[in-house]
Structure formats: C-alpha cells, structure tokens
Amino acid sequence: KSSFFFLKGFYSDIKSSGGTYINGTRLSQSGEESAPWPLKSGDEVQLGVDRQKGTEENSKAVVLKIFLHHPTADRQSGGS
C-alpha cells in the first residue's frame, strides 16, 4: 500500500511490494517503509512495475506526473 503526504509536497511508500519510484529512483526495498520524499513540480511518480507472466500481461504500473502550485503565487503572477 502507498500513502500520499501532500501537506508540504512529500510522498512516502508504506511497505509496498511493487515499489514506488520518483523520477526512476525506488524509495525503499519491498516491504520496507521509505522516508518522506520531497516532491517538486514536474516529478514523475510510478507506483509498482509492469508484470508479465508468459505471454499474458498481469499488471501495469501507474505513473503520475506531479504539478504543484501555490494559490497565492498564482494570483500574484496572474494565473488562475
């Protein structure tokens, strides 16, 4: 299982078996909890890995692209 900690833009892997990767770096070994990893806008988070048994595809990784913004900064720069 995984857990999101977006209060300050951090992500942590909570003992997942398939792994969590940020920009290609695995956060912790299988079954181990990772330290909180700081997220930056543009980071790529991958949950798990593609798994295939024989010629059948069993599961696919989930890949997320992170975009962080600060509402106050957006208003000051004229963004929405």
Side-chain angles (χ1 to χ4, degrees):
K1 70 184 177 182
S2 295
S3 179
F4 292 92
F5 297 98
F6 279 109
L7 182 61
K8 290 188 177 185
F10 287 87
Y11 188 89
S12 185
D13 184 318
I14 311 282
K15 302 180 181 182
S16 71
S17 60
T20 300
Y21 301 78
I22 297 182
N23 301 323
T25 299
R26 187 169 181 158
L27 300 188
S28 63
Q29 295 300 313
S30 180
E32 293 181 11
E33 187 169 336
S34 74
W37 188 282
L39 292 173
K40 300 179 303 301
S41 193
D43 281 349
E44 186 175 275
V45 177
Q46 178 179 323
L47 307 175
V49 293
D50 294 345
R51 297 187 189 268
Q52 187 170 343
K53 184 176 182 181
T55 58
E56 264 185 61
E57 205 169 86
N58 291 342
S59 64
K60 298 284 275 177
V62 174
V63 179
L64 310 162
K65 190 74 161 188
I66 303 299
F67 294 98
L68 302 173
H69 70 92
H70 189 280
T72 304
D74 286 348
R75 280 195 295 270
Q76 291 173 352
S77 66
S80 53

